[in-house]
Amino acid sequence: MTRLIADIGGTNARFALVQAGGAIADERTLLVRDYPDPASAIAAYLGGRRAEEAVIAVATPVESDEIGFTNSPWRFSIAGLKSGLGLRELAVINDFAAQALAMPHLGPHELERLGGGPATPGRAVGVLGAGTGLGVSALVPGKVGWTALPAEGGHVSFAPGNAREDRVLEVLRARLGHVSNERLLSGQGLLNLAQSLAVIDGRTTEAGTAEEVTESARRASCPACVEAVSMFSTLLGSAAGDLALTVGARGGIYLAGGVCLRLGPLFDRVAFRRRFVDKGRMRTFLEPIPTWLVLRGDTGLIGAA
């Protein structure tokens, strides 16, 4: 039996097959922009092979048969996709629910510890990650294992932590209206931060993409880009601390998503952890909670498997 798994975000569509025994094989990443819809991308990946079962993780809420992606133009019907591909079984799940399901299967060498004490067994786990958008989920323990919560926590309202961040919020609110965490903690968020900081300081920035912001920060050639990367690290810590408080994540917080991995040493681990625990009276609750950076980029596939 051929079992297909997929992790589809706003930029990349990752595919693989699950072999007997659960091993993942034939991983391949396609660009969303190169295909009109998921069915076309799946057909290109399969290349004439036929899958009988599939689990597809999608970067959007899964609340009905009709799926529309938050950060890409792709749309599809679950029933239509199942029929069109000739699948016997098809499950469509939220992409960060898939990320969360992968966390118990990661080894120590696939994680970088970012502070805190040991995880408390049997307590909730939080997962968030910046990519094309900001994904958020949690694992809740039960009598028969973990349950992953499909959530849209990336769209909660951004809460500044100091006067400089207040100014960023003002600039972005004037342009966007509602300012969510995703507007700052994502690939586009890096660009939003750099452009906002440049406006505040009366400067200009030539960066037009997240990649250009990162490269300018790496070369230290653009003050707004350097500060944007630093502020991103701090704000991600704030969002992670909020998640830990919200779900009582004494089992730890995991950072997934591609942005932190691409930033590499530019991701300020110290600033992240400092803001993570900076919650006033709740500091003592947060200080023991461990935080990890996930070093694998295919955890969505692991969760789907």
Side-chain angles (χ1 to χ4, degrees), residues 45-233:
Y45 168 74
L46 289 174
R49 295 173 293 187
R50 182 176 176 274
E52 297 177 59
E53 297 182 349
V55 176
I56 299 176
V58 294
T60 193
V62 181
E63 299 294 336
S64 68
D65 178 72
E66 292 295 325
I67 302 297
F69 285 77
T70 304
N71 290 305
S72 91
W74 275 9
R75 301 186 66 85
F76 70 96
S77 156
I78 296 175
L81 187 63
K82 179 181 178 182
S83 174
L85 294 174
L87 295 168
R88 187 174 67 185
E89 298 289 346
L90 170 62
V92 177
I93 64 175
N94 175 263
D95 66 327
F96 258 75
Q99 293 278 355
L101 288 168
M103 296 304 109
H105 301 280
L106 299 181
H109 64 287
E110 296 168 323
L111 300 167
E112 178 188 340
R113 191 175 187 85
L114 302 179
T120 303
R123 296 295 296 272
V125 169
V127 185
L128 76 163
T132 304
L134 177 64
V136 176
S137 185
L139 287 176
V140 179
K143 293 182 179 179
V144 293
W146 295 101
T147 296
L149 301 181
E152 292 299 322
H155 300 283
V156 302
S157 300
F158 166 59
N162 55 43
R164 184 71 163 169
E165 293 166 15
D166 286 340
R167 296 290 307 281
V168 171
L169 176 59
E170 290 175 10
V171 172
L172 287 177
R173 182 187 288 132
R175 178 156 67 91
L176 300 171
H178 176 250
V179 181
S180 67
N181 277 343
E182 181 172 282
R183 297 296 196 176
L184 299 95
L185 297 175
S186 60
Q188 180 63 38
L190 273 176
L191 182 60
N192 287 341
L193 280 169
Q195 291 175 338
S196 299
L197 291 165
V199 168
I200 291 167
D201 292 339
R203 300 174 181 266
T204 60
T205 175
E206 296 182 358
T209 65
E211 292 76 16
E212 290 173 356
V213 171
T214 302
E215 185 55 33
S216 295
R218 189 169 285 117
R219 299 195 311 264
S221 60
C222 169
C225 294
V226 172
E227 187 179 359
V229 170
S230 175
M231 188 175 286
F232 171 91
S233 304

Side-chain angles (χ1 to χ4, degrees), residues 29 41 59 66 72 121 127 147 163 235 250-251 260 268 273:
T29 299
E66 292 295 325
S72 91
V127 185
T147 296
L235 297 180
R250 302 308 291 260
C260 288
D268 190 333
R273 185 70 195 188

Side-chain angles (χ1 to χ4, degrees), residues 10-13 28-37 40-41 44 73-74:
T11 302
N12 296 308
R28 184 180 173 195
T29 299
L30 304 180
L31 292 176
V32 168
R33 66 169 184 252
D34 291 342
Y35 299 89
D37 51 45
S40 301
W74 275 9

Side-chain angles (χ1 to χ4, degrees), residues 12-27:
N12 296 308
R14 297 178 174 87
F15 299 101
L17 300 177
V18 178
Q19 299 176 330
I24 296 174
D26 297 333
E27 289 189 37

